[in-house]
Amino acid sequence: MCGILGYHSKNGTLDIEEFKQSLHKLFHRGPDASGIYNSKNLHLGHRRLSIIDVKDGTQPMISEDGRYVLIFNGEIYNYKEIARKLKLNNLKTKSDTEVLLEALKIDGTKSLNYLRGMFSFAFYDKAQDSIIIARDHFGIKPLHYFHENESFAFSSEINALKSLGNTNLTLDLNALDLYLKLNYIPAPFTIYNEIRKLKPGHYLTYNLNTNSLKEHQYYNFEFNPDFNTKFEDLSEAFEDELRDSVIHHTYSDVPYGAFLSGGIDSTIITKYMSEYLGKGVKSFTIEFEDEYSELGYAKKASETFGLDHYQFQVKAESVGIIDSIIDHSGEPFGDSSVLPTYYLSKMASNEVKMVLSGDGADEFLGGYNSYFNWLQKLNNQNKNFSSHAHLLISRIKNRSKDLQRTYENWLKLTPGLNNVIRNRLWKNCLKISPKKNANYLKSIFDSGNQLSDLQQVQNMDIKLLLQGNMLPKVDIASMMNSLEVRTPFVDVKLANFISKLPPEFYFEYQNNGFKGKLPLQNILLKTFSKDFVERPKHGFTVPLTKWIKEDKEFIEILSHYFKSENSSLLKFFNQSGLEDIYNSNKKNHIWSLIILGKWLDKNES
């Protein structure tokens, strides 16, 4: 895992020392090594966290003839298969970087279609005077870019871009409104008008001579279920695909372990890791003081699989790290679970350089409680849930006739502020375009109009929640601690297999309720009791309600941002609207505005 940075200007306004200073802002992403390539008015920089071929995989990597240069953040899990496929018999290293460089030389952007991994990279062709920057299929690794006048820049993080040149950045108020709605800012937007996120499954081509930039899509995940497949045939095939993904994600030349929450997603990852690697895999668990804890389940799993287990307790005073998290995120990020993810990563980084996690299982296999709640909302006119269960069951397989109502009910489940609250919050003098954001969200929803109600909302979660929130959260928290996190459930080969699964294979109605992730549960029932496997789902939640009411430092923070005339939030919002949110005691709304206020204090003072 690494950090990359690139800058080109036709007038050559950025000197190498200034570029080095900007590259140093990515030190935490790659503390093991640093390298820079210079050509004309082009700078390409790399910070390395050495995982595969620790000795020889240094970057920027230059082709033998000097024509091509690659800077690469991520891992290509099938690099050995690619090397065999392309008959790369004379490689000088054992790194996936060299295989990627050769694949791009041979097949260009067509090679993106057979990569299996997490990545963001820049590939410079000196003869053509062009650069390709690309991001992996689901956006596991970040990539931001800036293109204006006669300059083009890109980076793993916004803060490194901000320090390049004399760029004048302005806040994108529509992106800020999306943040209020979702608690995060989805691609392609950032908090700044001038900086954009490269969308997952996309690449850009940039011509240094003409300063022209073109965007291309090479991958789009789509559910396309095969309803003629027999479930007994699918079960074994699914387990084989998941096991294969875990095995590929363990390729490493450094010590590694696994995040183990005690839930079924991380438990099944550690199951396959221990089966493949033997005993001694290190596992890491976090818990909160005086809160519901799955620590007992995590210990049970670690004992069953023979893991070396570590644990850490997060307390209210741990919130002090949030200022540093805000610095590294580069823009407001309102998911409070980034806090425990940081401490989990910090604990793991003391023991290993890489871990596997269970992220992605809920989105791909229908694991969120919100799916059940959403299906209920679609039939909210039915008072007796059990008597109308067949209507809800039908929504697993069938498409709603009233798509507008279906969409409106999905909007009600988003964690941020609804339209009424946001309209009351914004100052009237500010120009935002609610229609623009509404059209953006609706376009993603409409891309799944051919799907069943269940898979349509899964599609939304994959395109928005997973790509815009869950994966960035892990990237921010882990990279702050120079820890690589790999996600076997978010694997293009496994995802393409899951896309063909009938939704009732992994989601069904049982005992007056719905249950998701059935194939994972069935696998673990071979090892654990029903009490372990079929217990209610508990998210990775922070005890905000308790902190809001009882922690003195937290109460002072609340008072400053919601009641003080010196609050930075008053630059954009009405005092009355802030007081409404404060009095509502809705913890997610309060937290996201605290984060925004702190970010504004640091960046807009």
Side-chain angles (χ1 to χ4, degrees), residues 82 86 100 103-105 107-115 121:
I82 293 172
L86 299 180
L100 177 58
L104 288 164
K105 279 174 55 180
D107 288 333
T109 55
K110 291 180 181 178
S111 63
L112 293 167
N113 296 317
Y114 55 72
L115 297 182
F121 66 76

Side-chain angles (χ1 to χ4, degrees), residues 305-321:
F305 301 137
L307 311 175
D308 292 338
H309 191 63
Y310 299 77
Q311 61 195 56
F312 180 81
Q313 186 180 80
V314 177
K315 300 181 180 180
E317 55 264 31
S318 302
V319 77
I321 194 62

Side-chain angles (χ1 to χ4, degrees), residues 356-370:
L356 270 59
S357 83
D359 292 286
D362 287 313
E363 290 85 358
F364 284 110
L365 295 169
Y368 286 126
N369 294 330
S370 61

Side-chain angles (χ1 to χ4, degrees), residues 25 33 40 94 124 185 235 249 276 450 529 549 569:
K25 291 182 178 295
K40 298 180 182 178
K94 297 179 180 178
Y124 173 50
I185 300 174
S235 297
H249 280 70
Y276 178 64
Q450 77 284 3
S529 67
K549 293 180 179 179
L569 295 173

